[in-house]
Amino acid sequence: MRAVTLYAVVDVDKCKGCTRCERVCPVLAIKVENKKAVVDPQNCLGCANCEQRCPEMAITMAPLEQSRVVHESLAEVDMAAVIDLCRRAHLHPKQIICYCTATRAGEVAAAVLRGAKSPEEISRRTGVRTGCKVECIQPVLRLLHAAGIAPERPARGYQWYGLTPTVWDIPEEVKKKYAQRGFYFDEDRKLLDSLVGAGEKGGE
């Protein structure tokens, strides 16, 4: 969930059309046309990523006349399906996966179940990845992969990177190699599985 109070404004006199803003926007709400950046105010979530990285300082953040909240409701979604998708991604539905926006795994799962097929679309619907824009791509990708969706990375951009290994992905040879050094991967996995399954009743 994200409360949107700002949007990006481009000073066309300063803009050199370098496409830096286009490459860093987590919701693809800004693009360069005719060598000038153009903002889609309907999709801009006011994260200021473009403003912070514009080398010409051609972008400022302006207040919206009417603020809005981006949120994927769980009220009309099959909670059993949400819980199942989260479990397959090794996440608890109530687990916060984006601390900047307090977005929970269940909300992202609901967006996926309602048809979102990319991190950018999920961000537009839930607000996830519009804070620091660093760590939360991982659980988003895990939920998409758990749903059988393999999204394509944007052709141009630094918006997201690939999945990093988790305790569920560690090969047996690695477990054996480090077992003598005090690493207990299987025990860790059992503990995490129990936490994922604890109190799965969903809810807002």
Side-chain angles (χ1 to χ4, degrees), residues 15-26:
C15 178
K16 299 291 176 59
C18 71
T19 74
R20 179 79 58 83
C21 56
E22 183 178 322
R23 293 169 184 262
V24 300
C25 180

Side-chain angles (χ1 to χ4, degrees), residues 24 31 36-37 53 56 58 63 88 92 97 100 102 105 120 126 135-136 142 173 179 191 196:
V24 300
K31 60 182 178 180
K36 298 294 180 182
R53 288 163 176 78
E56 306 300 330
R88 283 186 277 130
H92 191 286
I97 60 173
C100 296
E120 294 73 33
T126 67
E135 296 295 338
C136 42
R142 282 163 59 187
E173 58 268 24
L191 174 61
V196 168

